Amino acid sequence: MKLLLASFLTLVTFCMAQAQALKPPTESALDRFLRYVKIDTQSQEDQTTVPSTRKQLNLANLLAKELGALDAQNVRVSEFGIVYATFPGNLADNSKVPVIGFIAHMDTSPAVSGENVNPIIHKNYQGGDIVLPKDPTQVITVDKNPLLKGLIGDDIITADGTTLLGSDDKAGCAEIMTMLDTLRQNPQIKHGTIAIAFTPDEEVGGGIEKFDVNAFGAKFAYTVDGEELGEISDETWSARTATVTFQGKSTHPGTAKGIMINAMYALADYLNRFPHDILPETTEGRVGFVHPYAGVIDVESSNLKILLRDFDVSGLDAKEKLLRDMVAQTAAKYPQVKITIDVKENYKNMKEVLKNFPELTNNAMEAARRAGLKPFLKPIRGGTDGSNLTFRGLPTPNLFTGGTNFHGKLEFNSRRGLEKTTETLINLVQIFAQKS
Ligand SMILES: [Zn+2]
């Protein structure tokens, strides 16, 4: 026991000495972040091309150039605007350590403008609400953002109130780049080969389809696209979409008696059957939902599109059964309307695969702890690029970035958020090298 304590203390002293001895990167995570957020990379829904907007290539080409300057190898921007690179390991035998990938997305949400982002640094935050200078109605309140209480003394970065900040996910881009910069400055940090990718169109869900898993060359990867410091996610929704179609019969209303069958009433009846307690607006945490989100209302043919979400397949099956039972009930009430339901699988909870690779989550937790953080697991009430990649053979949990309030004008991150995430990434590549 004494010996164990002694070796533990030696290890702690060693880690501390190493942390203190690190040469700083050539550019801080914050400075990098401030440069990247000023580049407009907003993606656009319903486009036929990837990337959906050409302007995302401005950041892609810049990142490719900067990767080259950091001695990354095989740097390329694919025809779809995906930036790939490899950062060589510095071990005696790099083949003994799995190639670890890091992925961040370059685009920002179509929900709020990303043009002329003017990042504001609120230096040495001393508590209280933060009013954004260009639009005083935009206020980051302590009430709605309890995270602020942990940021006293930190430098908080916001937009000016007219745009989003774009921390989602330029924080991830800046943190990955600063990790490489720091590793290059500190060859005493031992690590295996690292694969890097920056992707377009994450927010509109098209970019990842074009991702070349084989060419990427990693055995595992992490998306760096989460929120609060310490938050690690290895679970996403399992997701299906249902389309319920109500077929009636249209005719001239002047001569409709006994002929017209108005499908709208059947749709309204169906909609009224949704239980109140399993909707997005009434659920949180691990509780799934059904969500009628769009539809067509017309005499002849009406339809309703419904999202089904749950962390467990059994829960998803139960929700699908509920929707089918409701169809039977409405059909009994409106026998003349032909009602059909079609359910499609969208994506599955990545935990189904990641449960077979517990070291990915465990090493990330360990890396965060070594950075002085308190890591915690948080299931994502959505899908990530990682869920897509995980089912294509590249197991990919999601790591925090320090940012929050994504897709809105109240988005923020902090100097410590950027620095501690970067430190966690550096710890993570070391842990893989040490444990292999
Ligand atoms: Zn994101």
Side-chain angles (χ1 to χ4, degrees):
M1 191 65 205
K2 252 183 200 164
L3 191 74
L4 219 97
L5 184 70
S7 52
F8 174 71
L9 286 174
T10 316
L11 182 74
V12 169
T13 320
F14 171 76
C15 289
M16 284 170 67
Q18 199 190 31
Q20 278 158 8
L22 281 192
K23 249 179 97 179
T26 60
E27 185 179 26
S28 72
L30 176 59
D31 287 343
R32 247 182 222 288
F33 176 71
L34 294 175
R35 280 195 300 116
Y36 296 162
V37 297
K38 286 177 193 157
I39 302 167
D40 179 10
T41 56
Q42 190 180 40
S43 52
Q44 210 176 328
E45 300 274 7
D46 300 324
Q47 301 302 300
T48 51
T49 56
V50 177
S52 62
T53 53
R54 299 288 299 171
K55 59 190 174 187
Q56 293 180 68
L57 294 173
N58 295 335
L59 181 56
N61 291 327
L62 178 73
L63 287 167
K65 201 176 123 207
E66 294 184 3
L67 280 163
L70 292 175
D71 300 333
Q73 294 177 354
N74 201 11
V75 181
R76 62 222 184 266
V77 181
S78 82
E79 59 178 311
F80 304 111
I82 303 174
V83 184
Y84 298 96
T86 306
F87 194 76
N90 58 6
L91 302 165
D93 184 359
N94 288 311
S95 68
K96 292 222 167 93
V97 178
V99 177
I100 303 298
F102 290 95
I103 302 167
H105 67 89
M106 299 178 288
D107 63 317
T108 62
S109 167
V112 178
S113 171
E115 202 180 352
N116 297 320
V117 171
N118 175 24
I120 312 278
I121 306 176
H122 307 263
K123 281 208 173 227
N124 192 16
Y125 171 69
Q126 288 301 309
D129 297 350
I130 300 175
V131 182
L132 300 185
K134 283 265 183 75
D135 180 356
T137 67
Q138 299 292 335
V139 184
I140 303 172
T141 63
V142 178
D143 192 37
K144 287 202 172 127
N145 298 274
L147 274 182
L148 283 176
K149 290 178 190 149
L151 298 181
I152 308 290
D154 201 345
D155 300 337
I156 296 179
I157 307 118
T158 68
D160 65 10
T162 61
T163 65
L164 49 64
L165 175 63
S167 177
D168 175 17
D169 185 23
K170 284 157 184 166
C173 298
E175 288 153 353
I176 291 170
M177 292 297 280
T178 311
M179 165 187 69
L180 298 183
D181 190 346
T182 309
L183 292 177
R184 182 168 161 273
Q185 294 285 86
N186 294 276
Q188 76 276 19
I189 303 177
K190 296 300 170 194
H191 60 87
T193 303
I194 302 169
I196 302 294
F198 298 113
T199 57
D201 285 352
E202 191 269 352
E203 302 292 1
V204 296
I208 207 64
E209 310 293 332
K210 310 294 186 192
F211 193 94
D212 189 338
V213 171
N214 281 335
F216 186 52
K219 189 150 184 229
F220 312 110
Y222 294 89
T223 47
V224 185
D225 191 23
E227 301 192 38
E228 184 183 352
L229 280 179
E231 173 197 293
I232 296 165
S233 301
D234 60 1
E235 275 203 80
T236 54
W237 285 138
S238 283
R240 293 176 195 163
T241 306
T243 305
V244 183
T245 306
F246 305 83
Q247 191 64 43
K249 192 180 173 75
S250 182
T251 183
H252 191 285
T255 54
K257 188 173 181 184
I259 301 168
M260 182 186 282
I261 302 164
N262 192 336
M264 293 183 197
Y265 294 107
L267 183 145
D269 177 80
Y270 187 75
L271 203 48
N272 265 318
R273 292 178 188 276
F274 276 81
H276 184 72
D277 59 349
I278 53 165
L279 303 178
E281 55 269 47
T282 57
T283 53
E284 62 183 349
R286 291 193 62 87
V287 184
F289 60 68
V290 289
H291 176 41
Y293 70 98
V296 171
I297 187 149
D298 189 84
V299 174
E300 175 95 10
S301 180
S302 293
N303 69 60
L304 198 57
K305 290 189 186 300
I306 306 148
L307 304 180
L308 296 79
R309 299 289 186 265
D310 206 286
F311 289 106
D312 299 311
V313 171
S314 61
L316 207 53
D317 287 343
K319 288 178 178 62
E320 181 173 334
K321 181 172 184 302
L322 170 78
L323 295 184
R324 290 185 184 278
D325 289 349
M326 285 159 50
V327 164
Q329 289 155 13
T330 298
K333 195 169 166 190
Y334 293 88
Q336 289 184 299
V337 180
K338 188 172 173 247
I339 310 175
T340 52
I341 177 166
D342 178 45
V343 181
K344 285 201 164 58
E345 190 96 20
N346 297 127
Y347 55 87
K348 280 194 283 190
N349 186 344
M350 62 180 170
K351 184 83 178 183
E352 285 186 32
V353 174
L354 291 179
K355 67 179 183 213
N356 301 318
F357 302 94
E359 70 275 21
L360 291 188
T361 309
N362 293 342
N363 288 356
M365 304 275 274
E366 171 68 19
R369 273 192 292 268
R370 286 191 193 179
L373 303 172
K374 288 199 182 81
F376 59 96
L377 289 177
K378 186 177 176 187
I380 299 174
R381 289 173 67 86
T384 65
D385 277 355
S387 38
N388 176 299
L389 296 173
T390 296
F391 285 98
R392 284 164 62 195
L394 183 66
T396 307
N398 190 41
L399 301 181
F400 52 90
T401 59
T404 195
N405 291 346
F406 289 178
H407 304 184
K409 293 177 181 173
L410 303 181
E411 192 183 11
F412 65 91
N413 203 321
S414 73
R415 176 192 294 276
R416 183 167 177 272
L418 296 163
E419 288 175 354
K420 282 291 166 188
T421 305
T422 304
E423 195 183 326
T424 300
L425 301 184
I426 295 166
N427 293 341
L428 188 50
V429 294
Q430 283 180 280
I431 289 169
F432 272 101
Q434 286 160 0
K435 290 197 175 172
S436 295

